[in-house]
Amino acid sequence: MIRWFLLPLLLATSVPGATPSSRIRRPVDVVGSPSGSHVLVANRRSGSVSVIDRRSRRVITEIDIGGRLSALAGVPGRDWVLVTDEAGGELIAIGCNDRFDVSWRVPVSGYPVSVAASADGQRAVVGSLWSRRLTLVDWTADGVGRHVRTLDLPFAPGHLLELPDGRWLVAATFGGRLAICDSHLQRPPLVRPLLGHNIGRMSLTADRRGVLLPHQLLDSKAETTRGGVHWGGVMLNVIRTIPIDAITEGSDRLESRLGLDYVGIPDRAAGDPVSITLARDNLRVVLLSGVHELVTSTDGIQYYGRQAVGLGPSSLSLDDDGTRAWVTGRFADTVSLVQLSPLEVLATISLGPTARPTSIDRGEQLFNDSRLSSDGWISCRSCHTRGHTNGGLSDTLGDGGFGAPKKVLSLLGSGTTGPWAWNGEVKTLSEQVAKSVKLTMRGDTMTPRDARDIAAYLKSLPTAPSVARARGTHDVKAVARGRVVFQRTGCAGCHSPPTYTSSRTYDVGISDELGRRRFNPPSLRGVSQRDGLFHDNRARDLGEVIGRFGHGLKTPLDAADRAVLLQFLESL
């Protein structure tokens, strides 16, 4: 048996001076050490943390601590940095001493993707994606982390921000929702809708009375003509300023275009803003992941200071004086040191030897590149966040015409659920990729290799786990009874196991705006992770699909059958 106190020594495998291994790292977060002498970088693919010496600007060590790292956070008054491991379901503390080894590990809710520490250094909150939960962690008197409690959310959480009064602001990963939670997660969250999606890393305004949110906004009624995309009318890339009181009170401005500052201009687009922070003199610093740039603004309106910073900038950390930023290049395996005024890259630091990329690796990079679209406004990721869905509607040529916006489908597990498109007319995934880039994003004709690479990446994406499975609340007996109802009522005729879809199209009893009634059924795998169902989101949830719409049912189900059928569907 491996004893708990030996785990840090066994799992932190790299040591200073060792020759770094050749591999793909995919850095996703960066933070300064408590002493200010080092910069720590979380590498998602390799599950390692790279440590950069600020003075020499080089990597001095790389430690392997997890399976798929997702976020970092410093803790005021502590000599360690917090790291989330999405694959291992853990919050990990790395001691920032000479060894940079693991101080402690705490299990948290499944699939952690974000972490934030309180300003007083007494606690941290972890956001867990597919389990749709927050976990509160604090530490004992001798500085060892401990799991305190969890709080269920009605959406998959993404970025976190502590508000001035100690409450937590939580942004949805998919779609547009915000939640405010009390400092100790003891009460139900206050949930508000937001017009927009892909909410990036947030920041407080200079007066600490409001919040700055980078996000995107998909116009479901805009035609995806070349001009419509090129002029920025289909996908808006914006910075939204919202007073904290407006979130608390539920102001209508959250669902309007008030408080939006537009990033990018036609002929110089600004796809995928993923982070905003305030530097010295309240300089706004924004990362544009899709076009691989860092941009700045002195007035909060014009974002004209722009600097290329490596492929896929994903996060930044400011120096103590707020004049320079350390920026991770996710698809370059680099960290750039950027002077903010005037803008200049002072150094580009390689995190180590990089392995030869596979077709999947190349596809992942292309999937996140806005330059595939006309002018650079939209990446595949813009609509399919993390390969899933932004939950919105888009009026594309994917169904053969304009005038009937369709729900953006999840691509998770889509490699085995052909044919593709709502009308089921596309027979191969690479064909669907090329068609989307050409007709929806209005980009150039793809090379066959690029289309195959993106298809290979999509085929590598597993189906999202059900909320119940991610939370460990799966009721085996109820699910078994629900499976019987699923078969008895004929649901399997259109949603056939094991993919829970079909290659055919069916008249589903509802039509789109152009009168079309035949659709290819989306797979039901991972359906509990979707908000809004049917081709136009007319059903809010599975309960409405079965109850209000009686979808596919010849006669209504009694309460008992409906309950177990729902549990079965929510288990897929």
Side-chain angles (χ1 to χ4, degrees):
M1 177 182 296
I2 298 175
R3 295 188 179 277
W4 178 259
F5 62 83
L6 291 177
L7 282 175
L9 296 178
L10 293 172
L11 291 170
T13 58
S14 298
V15 296
T19 302
S21 58
S22 178
R23 53 184 171 174
I24 291 176
R25 291 169 175 82
R26 294 286 195 257
V28 292
D29 209 352
V30 59
V31 71
S33 67
S35 67
S37 58
H38 297 89
V39 173
L40 282 74
V41 182
N43 301 313
R44 179 173 177 80
R45 177 73 67 82
S46 59
S48 63
V49 171
S50 299
V51 181
I52 298 172
D53 178 76
R54 284 182 186 267
R55 180 171 297 180
S56 66
R57 301 177 183 175
R58 67 182 184 87
V59 176
I60 61 169
T61 188
E62 181 178 0
I63 55 174
D64 297 324
I65 65 169
R68 190 166 64 248
L69 305 188
S70 50
L72 285 169
V75 184
R78 298 287 178 175
D79 64 352
W80 24 257
V81 166
L82 301 177
V83 188
T84 50
D85 180 6
E86 185 178 351
E90 289 183 318
L91 179 66
I92 306 167
I94 299 178
C96 295
N97 47 38
D98 292 339
R99 291 180 56 84
F100 289 96
D101 54 9
V102 174
S103 297
W104 49 260
R105 297 170 179 267
V106 172
V108 295
S109 293
Y111 306 93
V113 294
S114 57
V115 59
S118 61
D120 61 10
Q122 298 301 307
R123 68 194 67 85
V125 168
V126 176
S128 292
L129 187 76
W130 300 122
S131 58
R132 298 191 174 195
R133 279 179 166 169
L134 301 181
T135 303
L136 181 70
V137 175
D138 67 10
W139 13 96
T140 61
D142 55 352
V144 177
R146 60 185 179 185
H147 182 295
V148 178
R149 66 176 56 88
T150 60
L151 177 68
D152 291 348
L153 294 173
F155 58 75
H159 293 291
L160 307 168
L161 179 68
E162 187 186 27
L163 299 177
D165 61 4
R167 293 181 298 170
W168 302 98
L169 180 64
V170 188
T173 296
F174 311 111
R177 278 186 285 182
L178 299 170
I180 292 183
C181 305
D182 67 279
S183 60
H184 288 78
L185 308 186
Q186 294 175 313
R187 294 184 291 276
L190 183 67
V191 180
R192 301 297 187 213
L194 180 78
L195 181 65
H197 68 280
N198 279 344
I199 304 169
R201 188 161 300 190
M202 306 169 286
S203 178
L204 292 173
T205 56
D207 62 9
R208 297 175 62 81
R209 295 179 180 177
V211 179
L212 300 171
L213 296 91
H215 70 83
Q216 295 180 290
L217 199 164
L218 176 63
D219 189 339
S220 64
K221 297 180 181 180
E223 292 187 357
T224 50
T225 60
R226 179 167 293 277
V229 173
H230 185 86
W231 290 94
V234 175
M235 184 69 70
L236 308 179
N237 296 272
V238 302
I239 305 298
R240 183 186 291 267
T241 304
I242 306 178
I244 296 172
D245 287 347
I247 304 174
T248 301
E249 296 165 6
S251 169
D252 290 342
R253 69 179 294 159
L254 274 72
E255 297 184 83
S256 73
R257 295 193 179 186
L258 292 175
L260 296 185
D261 295 318
Y262 298 87
V263 186
I265 56 175
D267 297 324
R268 197 169 183 196
D272 291 347
V274 296
S275 177
I276 186 169
T277 192
L278 292 183
R280 193 168 74 176
D281 299 327
N282 297 322
L283 180 72
R284 292 188 181 188
V285 183
V286 179
L287 294 183
L288 301 176
S289 180
V291 292
H292 319 294
E293 292 181 331
L294 178 150
V295 302
T296 59
S297 173
T298 57
D299 59 8
I301 299 173
Q302 302 177 87
Y303 290 85
Y304 291 156
R306 300 176 64 161
Q307 174 65 56
V309 287
L311 295 175
S314 55
S315 62
L316 66 85
S317 176
L318 295 178
D319 270 344
D320 290 339
D321 64 359
T323 63
R324 301 188 301 179
W326 300 80
V327 182
T328 55
R330 181 177 178 185
F331 298 109
D333 274 4
T334 60
V335 171
S336 298
L337 176 59
V338 183
Q339 177 179 277
L340 298 176
S341 184
L343 271 174
E344 180 185 359
V345 175
L346 301 177
T348 299
I349 303 159
S350 170
L351 295 179
T354 301
R356 183 181 181 87
T358 65
S359 178
I360 292 173
D361 299 326
R362 295 192 302 268
E364 181 184 15
Q365 180 179 324
L366 290 167
F367 185 87
N368 288 275
D369 198 327
S370 298
R371 297 174 303 180
L372 289 184
S373 69
S374 177
D375 200 28
W377 290 108
I378 310 171
S379 68
C380 303
R381 173 258 182 196
S382 298
C383 289
H384 300 281
T385 314
R386 292 178 64 104
H388 191 41
T389 173
N390 62 13
L393 306 178
S394 182
D395 196 355
T396 72
L397 278 170
D399 57 2
F402 288 120
K406 297 293 191 299
K407 180 180 177 66
V408 176
L409 290 170
S410 174
L411 300 179
L412 299 180
S414 64
T416 59
T417 58
W420 290 269
W422 276 100
N423 56 17
E425 292 185 356
V426 182
K427 304 307 179 185
T428 70
L429 191 51
S430 58
E431 179 187 352
Q432 177 62 51
V433 167
K435 181 179 179 181
S436 294
V437 171
K438 185 69 175 178
L439 297 182
T440 301
M441 298 165 62
R442 294 293 165 172
D444 295 333
T445 300
M446 296 198 79
T447 66
R449 176 184 171 176
D450 285 351
R452 288 195 302 269
D453 286 346
I454 294 180
Y457 169 64
L458 296 178
K459 290 175 183 178
S460 76
L461 299 178
T463 303
S466 71
V467 176
R469 291 183 187 275
R471 289 179 176 176
T473 58
H474 183 68
D475 187 332
V476 176
K477 292 182 178 179
V479 168
R481 293 196 297 271
R483 189 187 305 273
V484 172
V485 176
F486 182 83
Q487 295 288 345
R488 189 185 74 223
T489 54
C491 300
C494 300
H495 298 279
S496 306
T499 58
Y500 290 93
T501 183
S502 169
S503 60
R504 300 171 56 193
T505 60
Y506 300 87
D507 184 335
V508 297
I510 54 177
S511 61
D512 66 14
E513 290 84 344
L514 300 179
R516 293 171 295 199
R517 298 167 59 93
R518 299 189 68 86
F519 301 100
N520 177 249
S523 172
L524 294 177
R525 294 183 302 176
V527 69
S528 65
Q529 298 288 2
R530 301 173 208 161
D531 299 303
L533 299 166
F534 292 134
H535 68 274
D536 54 5
N537 279 341
R538 70 178 64 189
R540 291 179 300 177
D541 51 35
L542 285 168
E544 284 199 349
V545 170
I546 296 170
R548 176 185 171 191
F549 293 98
H551 181 61
L553 300 174
K554 296 180 180 179
T555 58
L557 297 176
D558 61 34
D561 280 352
R562 185 166 61 249
V564 294
L565 177 57
L566 277 173
Q567 286 190 273
F568 169 71
L569 295 174
E570 291 170 352
S571 75
L572 296 175

